[in-house]
Amino acid sequence: MRIRPKSLGFTIFLGMLAALPPLSIDMGLPAFPTISASLNASSGSVGLTLSLFMAGFAIAQLIFGPLSDRYGRKPILLIGCGLFALAGAACAVAPSINTLIAWRLVQGAGAGAGMVLTLATVRDLFDGAAARAQLSYVNLVMSVAPMIAPTIGGWVLVLANWRAIYGVLALAGFLLLLTVAFGLSESLAHPDLTALQPHRLFKNYTRILSNPICLGYALVNALNFGCMFAYVAGSPLVMLQVFGVSTTTYGWLFASTAFGIMVGSFLNGRLSLRGVLPSRLLIVGLVTATISAVALVIVSVSGIAQVSTLMPLLILNTFCRGIISPNAMHGAIQPVPESAGVAAAVVGFLQMLGGAVASGLVAFLYDGKTAIAMSSLMAIFAIASLAAYTVLARPAEHRLQLSK
């Protein structure tokens, strides 16, 4: 009953692991007002269920990565899925907002194992174009989550109540736990027995962060994720408040940009398998993302910003995310196969940090009248991502190739 690494089922399985964070975030969004009323909590307190989930998700990756280098991917995945399922069940029966917040932190930590070990497992089993294609298809599956999660949450809310949403997440975690236990073979051939020794752990993280190729590609991915998250955080403010679209219309608009990521991921996977160089795909994706983001700024400041003028550029920008992410992630973890868990942890942590900074800045700079804050921050992060590639990652990789 083992899932073969080169099968469609394996890709879907990895995609579902990586989709735990967006599912956990977006499914609960429609229930925020109901949770507030049910637990007699303020809107700010309910919002902490999201903030603490993301904090647990980010920090846990730095722990689970080295643990997986020492004990293997499968045991740590079992722990992560178990934590996620347990926390989901605890959230479903939480008697107070403080209890809910605490268990959401644990749930975020469990989801962090899925993300970091998806990257590490791909590094263990695939190489070169095959690895980039696999990451592309995982990204494609994962991109379905933000498209369907709010709708699923809304349906569950209609049929039952907000607690059932966390029950559904607990069930998803339990099913993934069973899949890992009975369907997944260990992918790490040679565990690092010294990976958790303090000096070794410090050396591994220092080696990743001081490697210009690993750090450069990790920054490319994180800054580009910040560009996308500026849109994720700013789009409900702009579309719902500035342009006054309905929540249903906004859902379709948001789904169209998620579909853009899917198309970009699929195209990247096909082109990678056909031998197109990752450097070529990256530069096209990064330059196009920068141009589309700068165009968003021009449209926003010129006074012609409307849904019809912004959406094509937003879809183009998120399409580029589907091309950039798999190549940048692969570039960050490829040079260090012996420490793939640590490298994946750095990639995941920096990505979440980029998203958190971008979303915080959008909320702080939003003027309540225009799309300028969202578009400007998208442009800043897009330009920074392109700079990280052209100034840091690509020159370092070129020097390494010349030295060989």
Side-chain angles (χ1 to χ4, degrees), residues 145-156:
M147 294 175 63
I148 64 173
T151 302
I152 295 175
W155 286 345
V156 173

Side-chain angles (χ1 to χ4, degrees), residues 20-254:
L20 286 180
L23 280 175
S24 303
I25 292 170
D26 295 339
M27 275 185 65
L29 294 179
F32 272 22
T34 309
I35 294 173
S36 180
S38 174
L39 298 180
N40 193 27
S42 67
S43 298
S45 296
V46 177
L48 283 176
T49 63
L50 178 58
S51 301
L52 268 292
F53 176 91
M54 295 180 71
F57 174 73
I59 295 171
Q61 293 182 78
L62 298 176
I63 300 171
F64 285 132
L67 282 172
S68 74
D69 283 338
R70 169 61 182 87
Y71 295 108
R73 315 305 183 201
K74 184 172 180 175
I76 308 307
L77 264 180
L78 288 170
I79 293 173
C81 291
L83 281 176
F84 186 87
L86 173 64
C91 288
V93 298
S96 67
I97 188 62
N98 290 334
T99 303
L100 180 62
I101 290 171
W103 280 109
R104 283 287 279 173
L105 177 69
V106 177
Q107 191 179 42
M115 174 60 79
V116 71
L117 292 180
T118 295
L119 296 179
T121 300
V122 170
R123 180 62 188 89
D124 293 339
L125 299 174
F126 302 92
D127 198 13
R132 294 192 299 275
Q134 186 70 22
L135 286 173
S136 296
Y137 296 142
V138 167
N139 201 41
L140 189 155
V141 175
M142 183 180 66
S143 299
V144 177
M147 294 175 63
I148 64 173
T151 302
I152 295 175
W155 286 345
V156 173
L157 203 57
V158 170
L159 296 174
N161 54 41
W162 68 267
R163 296 182 183 276
I165 292 175
Y166 294 107
V168 170
L169 290 172
L171 177 61
F174 180 68
L175 291 176
L176 284 172
L177 176 67
L178 293 178
T179 304
V180 172
F182 298 107
L184 188 69
S185 298
E186 177 57 56
S187 64
L188 183 62
H190 304 290
D192 183 356
L193 301 181
T194 64
L196 298 181
Q197 295 179 3
H199 73 280
R200 173 71 171 174
L201 189 59
F202 178 78
K203 181 180 179 181
N204 282 342
Y205 270 116
T206 302
R207 185 157 59 95
I208 301 299
L209 293 172
S210 61
N211 185 319
I213 298 177
C214 295
L215 180 60
Y217 279 113
L219 287 175
V220 168
N221 177 68
L223 291 166
N224 179 256
F225 185 77
C227 174
M228 186 187 75
F229 227 75
Y231 156 70
V232 171
S235 61
L237 302 175
V238 171
M239 297 299 175
L240 297 175
Q241 296 182 14
V242 177
F243 299 123
V245 305
S246 67
T247 53
T248 302
T249 301
Y250 171 70
W252 285 108
L253 294 175
F254 191 83

